[in-house]
Amino acid sequence: MDGELEKQIKNALNEVNPWQKVPTNLKGAFLVKTPSSKQGESFMVEINPIDANGTPLKRRGVFLKRLSELESFIEVMENEKLKDLMIALENIQGLTHEEKLKTIEI
């Protein structure tokens, strides 16, 4: 890992309050400082993709602390059967995966 990146992360997170999100240049990935505990400070990555307006898709994203957690989520999300499940749910609800909220022009 790049030592310079680690310094940037530490500096950024030292200046924020617990649960405050720090945006990154990776759209949909945020750094989050958690409250201090007996083990010291803790940090996580929140994964919450953003829409065309820059708004997160969900109220809360997925919080990850370890690479192994990320790898486990990727394994599930890359499974083709998950896509089949989502398509079936959309069909049951009468949704299409291309359905989008239109922007209101004022």
Side-chain angles (χ1 to χ4, degrees):
M1 169 144 209
D2 183 0
E4 185 60 35
L5 178 58
E6 291 177 10
K7 286 180 190 176
Q8 288 179 13
I9 292 169
K10 286 179 183 179
N11 289 339
L13 292 172
N14 281 334
E15 299 175 9
V16 298
N17 296 319
W19 299 115
Q20 188 174 349
K21 293 180 187 182
V22 177
T24 69
N25 64 342
L26 177 60
K27 298 214 183 290
F30 304 87
L31 297 174
V32 180
K33 179 179 182 177
T34 58
S36 297
S37 66
K38 292 178 184 178
Q39 291 81 21
E41 291 185 315
S42 178
F43 313 111
M44 292 190 278
V45 172
E46 179 186 10
I47 307 296
N48 195 352
I50 56 175
D51 64 15
N53 297 322
T55 306
L57 292 180
K58 298 288 181 182
R59 184 174 181 176
R60 288 203 174 115
V62 175
F63 288 87
L64 304 171
K65 196 170 188 173
R66 294 181 174 78
L67 178 59
S68 61
E69 295 172 349
L70 175 62
E71 291 169 341
S72 296
F73 274 95
I74 290 172
E75 183 179 330
V76 171
M77 292 188 170
E78 287 182 338
N79 189 323
E80 286 296 317
K81 291 183 184 263
L82 180 60
K83 289 181 184 178
D84 294 340
L85 176 61
M86 295 304 301
I87 291 168
L89 286 175
E90 287 179 350
N91 289 339
I92 290 168
Q93 298 177 76
L95 302 174
T96 64
H97 59 279
E98 294 186 21
E99 192 173 304
K100 294 182 181 178
L101 186 61
K102 294 181 182 175
T103 302
I104 298 173
E105 297 292 327
I106 299 175

